[in-house]
Amino acid sequence: MSTESAAPTPGTVRPGGRTARTRSAVRDAVLTGLAEHGYPGLTVEYVAERSGIHKTTVYRRWGSVEGLVADALDLAGEDAWTPPDTGNLEGDLRALAREVAETFGSASAAAAPTAFIAAAFQSERAAQALRDFYTERFARCETVVRRAVDRGEAPSGTDAAAVVRAVSAPLFFRALITREPIDTPLADQTATAVAAAVRTGAYLPARR
C-alpha cells in the first residue's frame, strides 16, 4: 500500500481552515476533562459533549482518548510563545522559573498539566507526545543561554539544554514528586543558583 493511499493514524491529522475551530474546541474540552476527571476519567463521549462536536467525528479524527491527549499536546506546542529577554541571563532564568511556579503553584492552574504528566505514565503515546512537547519547548528556551554566551555572561560551549533543564528541575521535583509548594521566591532562588553555576563553567562539557 502506498503512503498516498494509507489511512492516517487517528489523532495525527492536522486539520486546517474552518476545521481548525473544531480542533481548538476539542482541545479545550480535553483540557477541561483532564482538569476535572484526570486521564482515567476522560472519555471520547465527554469530549464530544463538551466540545459540541459529534462523537462520530471525534472518533474518526482522533480515534481514542490517547489520540485526543496527544493532539492537545501537539496543539499546545504550536503556540507563539517565546522565551523572555530581560537583557541578562539571571533575569531570563528567573522569568522562566517563575513561569513554572505560576503553572504548577496552584491546584487550579496545575490541574491540566499535571493530568498530562499522569497520562504519560499510562499511555506510551501520551508519553511520546509529552516528550515531544517539552523537547520543543526547552529548545526554544536555549536561546537565553546562547544570548548569555554572546554577552560574555556564560563561557563559550555552555550546554544550553542542561541549563534550561536545571532551572526547572527543582521546581518540577517539588511540584510533582514531593508535592511541596512552589512560589516566586523559590523560583528566584533556583534561577540565581543556576546562573551562578553557569558563570563558573559548571555546564561546560565534561572533559574526558
Side-chain angles (χ1 to χ4, degrees):
M1 180 181 294
S2 69
T3 55
E4 287 79 5
S5 61
T9 301
T12 62
V13 177
R14 296 176 180 274
R18 62 191 179 89
T19 56
R21 290 191 296 273
T22 296
R23 189 183 181 202
S24 179
V26 168
R27 186 275 311 269
D28 291 345
V30 170
L31 292 177
T32 301
L34 287 173
E36 292 181 352
H37 306 294
Y39 182 73
L42 185 66
T43 65
V44 171
E45 288 73 19
Y46 172 92
V47 172
E49 181 177 356
R50 181 83 187 191
S51 66
I53 307 301
H54 197 280
K55 182 173 66 175
T56 302
T57 300
V58 177
Y59 271 115
R60 184 176 69 249
R61 290 187 179 168
W62 288 273
S64 65
V65 169
E66 284 186 311
L68 288 164
V69 170
D71 192 58
L73 280 165
D74 285 347
L75 191 57
E78 294 172 13
D79 64 8
W81 180 88
T82 57
D85 186 0
T86 65
N88 64 82
L89 177 62
E90 186 168 335
D92 289 349
L93 295 180
R94 284 191 177 203
L96 289 174
R98 287 182 180 188
E99 286 197 27
V100 176
E102 289 173 4
T103 300
F104 291 94
S106 69
S108 58
T114 300
F116 274 125
I117 293 169
F121 284 92
Q122 302 173 64
S123 160
E124 179 52 38
R125 189 171 178 190
Q128 185 59 58
L130 188 68
R131 284 192 293 270
D132 291 344
F133 172 80
Y134 276 109
T135 295
E136 195 278 336
R137 187 53 53 100
F138 284 149
R140 294 192 209 182
C141 295
E142 290 175 18
T143 188
V144 305
V145 181
R146 291 193 288 269
R147 288 197 302 252
V149 171
D150 292 341
R151 289 192 297 259
E153 294 180 275
S156 179
T158 295
D159 187 336
V163 173
V164 170
R165 284 163 172 74
V167 79
S168 57
L171 302 173
F172 282 137
F173 181 86
R174 288 179 64 121
L176 303 172
I177 305 300
T178 61
R179 306 296 292 170
E180 297 175 85
I182 57 175
D183 54 21
T184 297
L186 178 64
D188 290 349
Q189 181 187 62
T190 301
T192 297
V194 173
V198 169
R199 289 191 290 269
T200 69
Y203 294 99
L204 290 171
R207 294 182 179 179
R208 296 181 181 277

